[in-house]
Amino acid sequence: MRIVRYAVGGERHYGELESGDVGIARFEGDPYTGLSPTGHTDQAGDVVFLSPVDRPRIFGFAYNYASHVDETDREIPEMPVCFMKPSTAVVGPGDAIVYPSDGELIHFEGELVVVIGKEARHVKPSDALDHILGYTCGNDVSDRIVQRKESAFGTLLIGKGQDTFAPLGPVITTGLDPSGLALTTRVNGTVMQSASTADLLLPVPEIVSYLSRYLTLLPGDVIMTGTPSGVGPIRPGDEVEVEIEGIGVLRNPVVAESR
């Protein structure tokens, strides 16, 4: 099932993107408490696709691919390195990534994103998938200059959390095996990242189990699982695409901030 969240006629709905990506079967309810078909079909060309998750809590995992650890000239961490991004950082497919007026070095990071479907606390890795609704594409946009200055003092917020720094979409795919999905990131059509989620140092079940050991995961939370090597700069006028096997393509333009 490929769940989309979209707006049409001034109203917002959840739906299932049908084969061929032309029609959307409209639902009542939400994916966390239950979806019911309405029998109505919307045409994809008539709707505005939104972030598939509405202002979620966003958990991130840093240095979770050995290839990315290598390109940052660091050692593989002894324990998972986690951070959070504000819910206001989320934008959807087609929405702009806003390049800050004082930005100097803004990077893209293509990532597999886990969407939690059921409350999770002290979950074993063997049971973790039962708490996952599905998966979507994400871009952990990062202001490297600010990030490095913050990290030197043991914090990380503005470098990762500015508005529009967490594009998500285009769909939530359910029933997907996250253990070996091809991930590709392109900037202006040029492949910058090409990897497999099989290379995650901490795989998805371990990620969910680790977080749930220390805090309660809630329906609608999302987890950015980490980025592989190949991260790099973006500039206004660029277009970034994150494509993950079984999910689709998250496409976002980059625009200069206007004040």
Side-chain angles (χ1 to χ4, degrees):
M1 186 176 187
R2 293 183 299 160
I3 300 170
V4 292
R5 182 171 159 266
Y6 63 98
V8 62
E11 297 182 351
R12 297 184 176 191
H13 305 281
Y14 287 98
E16 180 178 6
L17 190 60
E18 298 175 339
S19 178
D21 297 351
V22 175
I24 303 171
R26 185 188 296 184
F27 290 108
E28 292 180 343
D30 64 68
Y32 315 107
T33 59
L35 291 169
S36 301
T38 65
H40 181 84
T41 299
D42 293 296
Q43 298 302 305
D46 297 334
V47 312
V48 176
F49 288 96
L50 308 171
S51 165
V53 188
D54 185 22
R55 292 200 168 186
R57 297 196 302 178
I58 308 164
F59 300 93
F61 277 72
Y63 311 116
N64 202 25
Y65 284 85
S67 62
H68 181 54
V69 175
D70 289 343
E71 73 177 350
T72 60
D73 198 27
R74 295 174 181 267
E75 299 294 327
I76 291 177
E78 296 181 1
M79 61 182 295
V81 179
C82 306
F83 61 92
M84 291 189 71
K85 294 166 82 91
S87 60
T88 48
V90 172
V91 291
D95 291 336
I97 299 167
V98 177
Y99 195 102
S101 59
D102 57 356
E104 298 179 54
L105 185 61
I106 310 299
H107 275 194
F108 64 85
E109 294 188 9
E111 309 198 8
L112 175 70
V113 176
V114 175
V115 182
I116 297 297
K118 185 169 67 174
E119 185 173 306
R121 179 74 165 130
H122 297 300
V123 173
K124 297 178 181 179
S126 58
D127 297 327
L129 298 185
D130 294 336
H131 296 263
I132 295 173
L133 171 65
Y135 306 88
T136 192
C137 303
N139 187 349
D140 178 21
V141 181
S142 305
D143 185 323
R144 294 300 190 209
I145 303 300
V146 176
Q147 177 185 345
R148 290 165 186 163
K149 290 179 179 179
E150 288 182 313
S151 296
F153 291 92
T155 64
L156 185 58
L157 177 61
I158 305 304
K160 291 279 191 179
Q162 298 182 45
D163 286 2
T164 77
F165 273 25
L168 299 176
V171 305
I172 300 170
T173 299
T174 64
L176 196 62
D177 181 354
S179 63
L181 302 174
L183 184 157
T184 305
T185 307
R186 294 179 289 269
V187 178
N188 301 327
T190 299
V191 174
M192 307 300 290
Q193 293 181 293
S194 181
S196 169
T197 58
D199 297 328
L200 284 166
L201 294 173
L202 199 67
V204 167
E206 298 284 350
I207 285 173
V208 172
S209 179
Y210 179 79
L211 282 177
S212 75
R213 187 186 314 165
Y214 300 103
L215 51 88
T216 301
L217 293 171
L218 302 174
D221 285 348
V222 303
I223 307 170
M224 290 185 152
T225 59
T227 196
S229 62
V231 301
I234 51 177
R235 298 292 303 175
D238 289 344
E239 182 178 74
V240 186
E241 296 175 310
V242 179
E243 181 172 5
I244 300 178
E245 179 184 1
I247 299 173
V249 181
L250 170 64
R251 185 178 292 108
N252 299 94
V254 183
V255 303
E257 181 180 23
S258 59
R259 289 187 175 179

